[in-house]
Amino acid sequence: MAKFTVYFKDKAIHSGVFDSGVVHIGRDESNDLVVDSLAVAPAHAVVVIKAGECLIKQMNEKFPLLVNEQATKEWNLQNNDIINIGKHYIVYNTTDDFPEKVLVSSPVDSLDSDVQALNNKLDEAIKTTDANLQVMNGAHIGRILRLKKSMTRLGHESAGVIVISRRKEGYFLSALQGHDGLAINNEPLGDRTVQLNNNDVIVVDSTEMQFFQD
């Protein structure tokens, strides 16, 4: 699976997730990834996703294709490669596992055996679509955390801790400890329990993470 996130001045604008096929990139609204800039050709580039590989190709000789600041006609994309287009750029990611120890203060795996057994039963019972978080800023920008468990805990005691619960109805966010520095879509999380939707942005200790489902 491939995820492409369009940025402008280091701010994420929109993203798309694709399993396979052809992804069209350009200024025209008919493209799969639209980049609204005169520096972008109406049909700028095309990405072919096949057998776990992503090959990007230049579509217009007058508009150069740059990957990681290098001009190219075509390029086999690797995780975290950056497609440079004028003042915009597109980050390519695979949904490989994001090492949870970067953000998780107390992994669910550390719970006692009875609670872990219950979580395993919940995992079997719940058939919701798999979901992920993508880090949008800081040292780990672009990294992916897959929400595999029935409960995912993120944060630090000194800066607030959140829990994302996986239920039949979807994924739900709530604060477990502390409230300062915890936010969703630029609003404080507070005591709310919020059902997450695609492209919601969660903030934990100044780290921004975008939620998206497979």
Side-chain angles (χ1 to χ4, degrees), residues 150-154 161-165 172-176 189:
S150 58
M151 184 175 69
T152 301
R153 176 175 172 172
L154 301 171
V161 178
I162 63 167
V163 169
I164 297 177
S165 302
F172 292 81
L173 169 71
S174 58
L176 181 63
L189 178 58

Side-chain angles (χ1 to χ4, degrees), residues 6-203:
V6 181
Y7 289 82
F8 179 68
K9 296 183 177 179
D10 295 330
K11 180 178 178 61
I13 300 174
H14 59 88
S15 60
V17 179
F18 306 91
D19 286 320
S20 60
V22 178
V23 180
H24 297 272
I25 301 172
R27 188 172 72 243
D28 191 86
E29 293 184 358
S30 63
N31 288 281
D32 301 293
L33 287 173
V34 178
V35 183
D36 187 12
S37 170
L38 293 177
V40 183
H44 193 92
V46 64
V47 180
V48 180
I49 305 172
K50 185 177 181 181
E53 295 186 351
C54 285
L55 177 67
I56 187 169
K57 300 180 180 180
Q58 181 180 1
M59 294 292 290
N60 192 317
E61 292 289 341
K62 295 181 180 180
F63 291 83
L65 173 63
L66 298 175
V67 180
N68 301 329
E69 302 290 353
Q70 299 182 46
T72 183
K73 299 289 186 181
E74 61 180 43
W75 185 286
N76 284 306
L77 291 170
Q78 304 297 317
N79 193 37
N80 292 323
D81 274 352
I82 297 175
I83 305 163
N84 310 98
I85 308 178
K87 294 182 179 180
H88 293 73
Y89 62 92
I90 302 171
V91 178
Y92 162 73
N93 292 114
T94 61
T95 52
D96 292 337
D97 291 349
F98 173 33
E100 297 184 21
K101 64 182 181 180
V102 173
L103 292 173
V104 178
S105 59
S106 299
V108 175
D109 289 340
S110 67
L111 299 176
D112 61 52
S113 58
D114 290 339
V115 175
Q116 188 60 54
L118 177 60
N119 278 342
N120 290 339
K121 290 182 180 179
L122 288 172
D123 286 339
E124 293 176 1
I126 294 172
K127 301 300 182 182
T128 50
T129 305
D130 290 339
N132 313 271
L133 295 175
Q134 181 177 28
V135 179
M136 308 300 287
N137 64 348
H140 300 286
I141 187 170
R143 302 295 295 275
I144 300 290
L145 166 62
R146 293 187 67 84
L147 302 175
K148 297 179 179 179
K149 303 179 184 297
S150 58
M151 184 175 69
T152 301
R153 176 175 172 172
L154 301 171
H156 306 279
E157 293 182 1
S158 61
V161 178
I162 63 167
V163 169
I164 297 177
S165 302
R166 181 176 182 172
R167 308 175 189 171
K168 289 183 179 180
E169 299 83 3
Y171 291 81
F172 292 81
L173 169 71
S174 58
L176 181 63
Q177 179 177 348
H179 298 291
D180 293 340
L182 303 181
I184 178 168
N185 298 331
N186 296 318
E187 295 183 359
L189 178 58
D191 295 321
R192 296 180 294 156
T193 296
V194 180
Q195 183 170 7
L196 293 170
N197 297 304
N198 277 331
N199 299 320
D200 280 348
V201 176
I202 302 166
V203 178

